[in-house]
Amino acid sequence: MSTNNYFEEIGAWPFRTHSLGGMYGWGYVLSLLLTIASYEAVMHHIARYSVLIVLVLVLACVQFAVQLVCFLHLGRETVSRERFIVLSCTALIVIILLSGSLWIMFALNERMVPSSDEMTQYMKSQQGI
Amino acid sequence: MTYDHIHDHQMLSTEARAEDNATLFGFWMYLMNDFVFFASLFAVYLVLRGNVFGSVGSDMFNMPLVLAESIALLTSSVTYGLALLAARREDTSAVLRRLCVTFVLGAAFLSMELVEFGRLIAAGHGPSASAFLSAYFTLIGAHGLHIAAGLIWMAALMVVILRRGLTRFTLRKLMLLGLFWHFLDLIWIFIFAIVYLTGII
């Protein structure tokens, strides 16, 4: 057994030395399966368009979580708690940034181009221009 | 106090531990900023995806090559992890071997990406062809530049480890590059899913 505990000491790894090799193995197998599953699902069009998009995004998020736990060793240990908190805040910012940008940009036409009724009303109120 | 050959259970003084812990946390903060940077590029890409402007849309991707890229990057992430495990065993030659494998896989990823870029540009789908392609090249190119920077860092680190062995300073750099490398694989998951997979559905 190793005596070099540098990674554990600075809080990068949890103090569970025996299982880390297995963690990388599991992370690899699961990530590989998830990647190939989503690839095959899309290449063979196993479902409708909307179902397939949701499936691919869900599989990507699962793989993200798998790699966070298996490769970056983010767990319930106190050593990684501060990193987990920062990650959560960043994830919140990212979600707001993405959903907000997409919402604004795809609602532009609906919200900014007036319907012809509104236009007629506007022109009347401006005495025809 | 030297950190060069320590076989004690506690290799760091309290101050050194606090310092390296702070470095780790600071680097993590940088990665989270990079995460927001990539998120904004994703937002741009998703908004501009429909603006293909006469050029063909997303059916131009070479999917088997993209799958090979993904698997190469994923495997390199794991071999980097194995290098970290070897570093904890203080097996310097295994660390260098596994870093070499990681470097080769990363370089393979980058060259496949450049081949794909070259093919697209040769077919008239360069970054100036449409807003969609500008956003595509910006997003994938930003990730590729990160990978290139990681490869340069890795090569430099291998030279330092070769010359100085596994000290506190090389272990710290090994740790930080590991975070960086795993982070790039995390970003690639979403590039693979959002740009490539949902792009061709």
Side-chain angles (χ1 to χ4, degrees), chain A residues 72 74 83 86-87, chain B residues 24-32 179:
Chain A
L72 287 164
L74 277 190
R83 269 176 290 143
V86 179
L87 176 73
Chain B
L24 177 73
F25 186 62
F27 194 76
W28 185 258
M29 292 294 282
Y30 153 70
L31 288 181
M32 293 301 105
L179 288 182

Side-chain angles (χ1 to χ4, degrees), chain B residues 148-162:
Chain B
L151 287 176
I152 293 169
W153 187 2
M154 208 180 293
L157 187 60
M158 280 191 276
V159 173
V160 176
I161 291 177
L162 200 61

Side-chain angles (χ1 to χ4, degrees), chain A residues 2-10 12-13 17 24 28 39 49 64 67 71-72 83 86-87 90, chain B residues 8-11 17 20-21 28-29 32 39 64 74-75 78 81 84 88 90 172 175 179 185 190 201:
Chain A
S2 149
T3 50
N4 189 341
N5 268 329
Y6 179 78
F7 300 138
E8 285 90 340
E9 271 195 66
I10 66 165
W13 284 6
T17 47
Y24 281 107
Y28 187 46
Y39 178 81
Y49 180 77
F64 184 76
Q67 293 200 11
F71 296 169
L72 287 164
R83 269 176 290 143
V86 179
L87 176 73
T90 312
Chain B
D8 196 33
H9 197 69
Q10 293 272 307
M11 70 178 286
R17 191 185 309 136
D20 286 6
N21 186 259
W28 185 258
M29 292 294 282
M32 293 301 105
L74 173 63
T75 311
V78 175
L84 290 175
R88 210 188 38 192
E90 296 183 69
R172 183 169 66 192
M175 185 70 242
L179 288 182
D185 197 30
F190 289 110
I201 293 175

Side-chain angles (χ1 to χ4, degrees), chain A:
Chain A
M1 183 45 92
S2 149
T3 50
N4 189 341
N5 268 329
Y6 179 78
F7 300 138
E8 285 90 340
E9 271 195 66
I10 66 165
W13 284 6
F15 277 100
R16 282 183 311 177
T17 47
H18 54 283
S19 62
L20 279 174
M23 292 269 268
Y24 281 107
W26 276 112
Y28 187 46
V29 170
L30 285 175
S31 301
L32 211 54
L33 285 177
L34 288 164
T35 301
I36 291 171
S38 49
Y39 178 81
E40 290 297 323
V42 168
M43 295 309 267
H44 293 111
H45 285 92
I46 58 157
R48 279 184 297 124
Y49 180 77
S50 50
V51 178
L52 216 46
I53 284 194
V54 172
L55 179 73
V56 164
L57 290 180
V58 167
L59 289 181
C61 290
V62 172
Q63 196 182 340
F64 184 76
V66 165
Q67 293 200 11
L68 274 183
V69 173
C70 293
F71 296 169
L72 287 164
H73 314 299
L74 277 190
R76 274 175 292 179
E77 290 81 11
T78 43
V79 289
S80 62
R81 186 170 292 157
E82 50 184 20
R83 269 176 290 143
F84 185 75
I85 291 169
V86 179
L87 176 73
S88 310
C89 294
T90 312
L92 184 67
I93 293 172
V94 163
I95 289 167
I96 293 170
L97 182 86
L98 277 172
S99 56
S101 306
L102 295 180
W103 181 26
I104 290 168
M105 293 310 289
F106 288 114
L108 270 186
N109 288 347
E110 189 190 324
R111 290 178 186 276
M112 293 190 67
V113 180
S115 67
S116 55
D117 286 349
E118 283 171 327
M119 199 55 129
T120 319
Q121 218 165 28
Y122 176 77
M123 294 208 322
K124 271 182 191 156
S125 73
Q126 302 288 313
Q127 277 90 39
I129 306 181

